[in-house]
Amino acid sequence: MSHQRIPKNWTIQRSTPFFTKENVPDALLSHHNTAEGVFGQLCVMEGVVTYYGFADAEAVDPEVKVVIPAGSFATSPPQYWHRIELSNDAQFNINFWSDSDKKNQKMYNTKS
């Protein structure tokens, strides 16, 4: 689950700026999922980001834990519930991939 392959014909639709502990959106630190037809690629530049994957929106215990060190990345498949934790020195960004033009669409969903 931690590194599913993004299909060859998909392209980056949007990239976030670099996030740190000081500016990471709260949504990324709590249960959220990538939108339908969207893969997330979390790229760590500094520090460590820990990715927790969940069976569904209500799951409390993660079924997947991936520690992503600087210089590495992990992928999150479409509609998979997850959250992240950051080391104090972490810096990362996210690329959102899709097979169709979704530049003006929502790339992820949060719990209601």
Side-chain angles (χ1 to χ4, degrees):
M1 184 62 66
S2 66
H3 190 75
Q4 288 192 5
R5 185 179 300 270
I6 297 169
K8 278 199 290 194
N9 62 321
W10 287 31
T11 57
I12 294 175
Q13 299 296 306
R14 189 179 314 153
S15 294
T16 68
F18 284 103
F19 295 126
T20 64
K21 269 206 157 186
E22 287 72 43
N23 68 351
V24 64
D26 289 340
L28 299 181
L29 303 175
S30 59
H31 270 52
H32 67 282
N33 71 2
T34 43
E36 182 178 355
V38 175
F39 251 97
Q41 178 189 32
L42 194 152
C43 304
V44 181
M45 295 298 290
E46 292 181 19
V48 175
V49 176
T50 305
Y51 172 100
Y52 296 95
F54 299 90
D56 57 49
E58 304 309 317
V60 176
D61 297 319
E63 63 180 3
V64 172
K65 177 182 175 182
V66 182
V67 177
I68 314 161
S72 299
F73 71 89
T75 60
S76 190
Q79 297 182 291
Y80 185 65
W81 290 95
H82 58 281
R83 69 174 179 82
I84 61 169
E85 288 180 357
L86 312 177
S87 65
N88 288 334
D89 60 344
Q91 183 177 349
F92 72 98
N93 83 315
I94 302 169
N95 297 314
F96 294 101
W97 294 74
S98 179
D99 66 343
S100 59
D101 185 357
K102 294 185 182 292
K103 287 182 174 66
N104 296 319
Q105 296 178 25
K106 214 171 168 182
M107 295 291 147
Y108 65 92
N109 303 295
T110 56
K111 279 176 57 170
S112 301

